[in-house]
Amino acid sequence: MLPDQFESEALTRVKLHEGFNATLYPDPLNPGILTGGYGHNFHEPISPALAEKILLHDWDVAKTELGKAVNWEALNRLPYHKYFVLVEIMFQLGLTKFKSFKKMIAAIERGDMKEAAKELRDSKYYRQVPDRAEKLAKILEE
């Protein structure tokens, strides 16, 4: 057997024995430590490399979820820099909160980016993170 096959078998066993858990839960063997995934203990800060992998995964999720909130035809008409502003907002807020921007979404679907920027400025999100939101609104309306 090749080393890769041994490693593959071992990883398969770990997955089977640990089981996958998408949520964090208290580790029964290590009080005070949260565990998730396939038995990963979150007792130490994550590395920049792992943070980057999580970021890229979450970014891909945000792109997919954007298509659930805004008509794909409208998204395809957008220049990339405006599309990615919307992905960034989705990344930060998640699908449920993003979908609450009904007037902004309607403006985007009409192709009225000035109105979309206006609606972004007239939001709780804008009041919570005004510097970030203003930068994004400017990109939408330019």
Side-chain angles (χ1 to χ4, degrees):
M1 216 183 246
L2 297 172
D4 288 355
Q5 290 170 307
F6 283 114
E7 185 172 26
S8 177
E9 284 182 12
L11 283 170
T12 299
R13 278 194 311 273
V14 167
K15 286 180 176 181
L16 177 66
H17 293 140
E18 291 289 340
F20 175 76
N21 198 324
T23 60
L24 299 179
Y25 60 92
D27 187 318
L29 301 177
N30 298 297
I33 294 181
L34 293 176
T35 299
Y38 290 104
H40 179 80
N41 289 332
F42 291 89
H43 61 281
E44 295 180 11
I46 63 172
S47 69
L50 179 56
E52 184 76 19
K53 286 181 182 179
I54 293 169
L55 168 66
L56 293 175
H57 171 269
D58 292 349
W59 186 253
D60 285 343
V61 168
K63 289 189 296 187
T64 299
E65 289 187 335
L66 185 60
K68 296 175 183 176
V70 181
N71 178 296
W72 274 111
E73 197 172 291
L75 292 175
N76 286 330
R77 287 192 306 259
L78 292 175
Y80 286 117
H81 64 292
K82 294 181 185 204
Y83 166 77
F84 286 119
V85 162
L86 300 177
V87 175
E88 182 177 345
I89 296 169
M90 178 65 77
F91 176 89
Q92 186 177 10
L93 297 179
L95 181 59
T96 301
K97 289 181 182 173
F98 188 95
K99 286 174 99 175
S100 72
F101 286 70
K102 294 182 186 323
K103 291 179 182 178
M104 183 183 81
I105 292 168
I108 292 164
E109 290 179 343
R110 288 191 314 272
D112 187 348
M113 299 312 287
K114 288 193 185 299
E115 183 65 20
K118 178 183 167 285
E119 291 299 332
L120 180 61
R121 287 185 178 106
D122 187 27
S123 69
K124 182 179 177 183
Y125 169 75
Y126 188 90
R127 291 186 295 280
Q128 290 174 332
V129 290
D131 293 339
R132 181 178 188 173
E134 180 58 27
K135 287 176 189 172
L136 299 176
K138 283 181 179 177
I139 295 168
L140 287 178
E141 71 186 355
E142 67 184 27

